[in-house]
Amino acid sequence: MRTQSILNLLVIDDDQLYAEHLVHLLGSYYDDVNLGFLDDKEELLKSLRQSWDVLVFGNAYDMNFTDVVGIVQEQDIDLPMICLLDEKMASPIRNNEALPNIISGTMVKALKVDEEMAVVMSICLQHDSLRSRRELKTLRHVLSEAEQRANVLIKNSKSAVTYIDEGIHIFANDPYLQLFGFDSMHDVVGVPIIDLIAGGDNVKGFKQFLRQFAKGNRQEVEFKFESIRTDGSTFEAKLQLAAATLDGEPVTQVIIQQDHSNSAEIAERLAAAECKDSLTGISNRRGFEEKMEAVYQQARQDLLTAGLLYVQLDNIGKIRSSLGLQGIDATVKQVAYALDELVSDGHVSRFSDTAFTILVEDKSGSELKELAEHIGSHISSMLIEVEKRTTSTTVSIGIVKIDKNTVEPNILLERAMDAINQIMIETSNHGDTYHLYDPSEHANSDDNALAESLVDAIANNRFELSFQPIYDIDNDRSDFFEVYLCLPLADAENTVLTPDQFMAVAKTHNLLEKIDRWVLINACKKINDVRKTHPEARLLVQLTSASLIDKKLPSVASQLIKAVGGAAGVLTLQFNEKDISDHLTIAKTQFAALSKISCQLGINNFGSSAKSIEIASFVQPDLARLPRSYVEDIDSSDNLDTVKSLIRRTNEVNVDVLMPYIEDAATMSVAWSVGARYLQGYYLEEPSSTINVAT
């Protein structure tokens, strides 16, 4: 049946007669075929400014098929591609070496030139697939806008609303958090909803009710029960279920309607508990925000000057590995009590799981530094008892001054956290010091200049990549390479910037996704060349949070994997544990989508939070890369036991561990015994601008 439509066909070849012949054959399937014909890179870049439906690649005098795939990806264009082979290219040796037979929704490789009908059918199928994707994109946009409007209404609703997935909380609005006594969204995510239902009969009935709803039964959508708060108190309530979506994924919406017969008592209890942390008894984040707003308003009126100290525990991952949650709770409580005593004239709050905030008034910059040094010294000298064992901790402190010219409270908080990040950069994630945020060090002119350099590096390939091999103990191989990025500057000192020096500016100017895409494409070009002689070579590429939440990433990764041979595991994408924790639901969906296309996943700085194992179990990566703090001083028995414990529990959830930063023979000798599958470091081999596969 003839399709009433138009095809915009772009052919890259040195034989225009063949392209015209294709147009003639396609005339049986389309009302009109608009042909674009070229055979060099410069013309391709110009042509991609137009909209094309299918690209057919034969021969070009200054580029190959991998180059074309890279160019299309750099332009971020959804364009199906077909690679044609002549008799020479179709020989078994050549085909097995570089162009395996792969057919997918976006790419067809290794079709012979003389098989004309196969080429025509592939063009039609690719065009149909593209139209479907375009229609799906439009529908998803409509759905996303509807979902966004619904979520805005829910967040601003006075009703208690939560979203659950398979009975687990994944989102809740503020009234829901207040109703059950949770301090923040972080505390409720991952908690089963049945934990908030009192009484065995209620729980049993609710499970049956939830199962019926999941099967599509909409006759009963209300359930009355006795609910239990985090402090153990209970209240009568009724919930209603509805099907919904969150981040484009199907979820179940739950609305809680409370029995208000004792509303006055509940309101009084909630008001009292609203600003108090249940574990430590000090102020919680809500209490801090109220105090911060009051201080901010007074400072703006020039009635006082103040300082904000953001205090973060440094080695919480190690404490979790050696002493578990009990050790973390004991540490948090002891540090909270110490801070409350040390700053009796200030306002101390537990801001998050392992971070505190302190507001103090009428102190100069030097006095704030002295206070931070005193706090750090005292905390590091504390011995924290956990049953019959003893632990210790240190803190990193970000300091921000507040005066009449101060910025909004949320920006002040961001600056305090930026100061913490600066500490981590300067100390290689050791912490145990303080940093006063100086606005003059972050002048807009400097940031803008750096942003311009980043844009120029993306457009003109001025970034540089280096590759460090990773030794695989299980397979006795070193053909797995981690990719590192740097930016050389054209200054007198020949400065070379590393990501920790420019990623903050890149984030401010929305360049993270573009930098990630550049790294992916150019690293894959390198490995594609290497795999022609070493077909088992593969890559480990670190990406930012921008790519973690980018729904187009699986499609990009899929095409790049196929362009370099399509082997499972040829590409491993790695994300920081903190980014995954901040986008947990999205990360799970993204990891699942990437796994389906044979892309492996990794977690960097694994073990740096209190919930590392839970995060790994939830998103199911293939690889976990330890932070530097676990490797240093590994020859001491306590540190060695901590590392072994973390690796053992990581392996139990079917995740292999990469132990990096092996800098000397002593660390290398210990590294063999801890249970890690992969070893990496300067002692084995330094990063290089070329990929050198050991034989």
Side-chain angles (χ1 to χ4, degrees), residues 311-314 335 372 375-377 379-380 393-397 431-434:
V311 183
Q312 177 177 287
L313 300 184
D314 290 324
V335 171
I375 290 172
S377 175
I379 298 299
S380 64
T393 190
T394 59
V395 292
S396 297
I397 305 175
D432 193 19
T433 187
Y434 61 86

Side-chain angles (χ1 to χ4, degrees), residues 5 26 31 106 111 115 143 173 208 263 268 282 347 352 435 517 592 628 670 673 682:
S5 61
L26 289 164
D31 289 335
T106 57
L111 283 180
E115 294 177 354
L143 177 61
N173 65 359
Q208 180 64 25
S263 58
E268 183 179 351
I282 64 174
H347 185 271
S352 64
H435 182 82
R517 191 69 56 86
R628 183 185 290 272
V670 175
S673 65
Y682 276 55

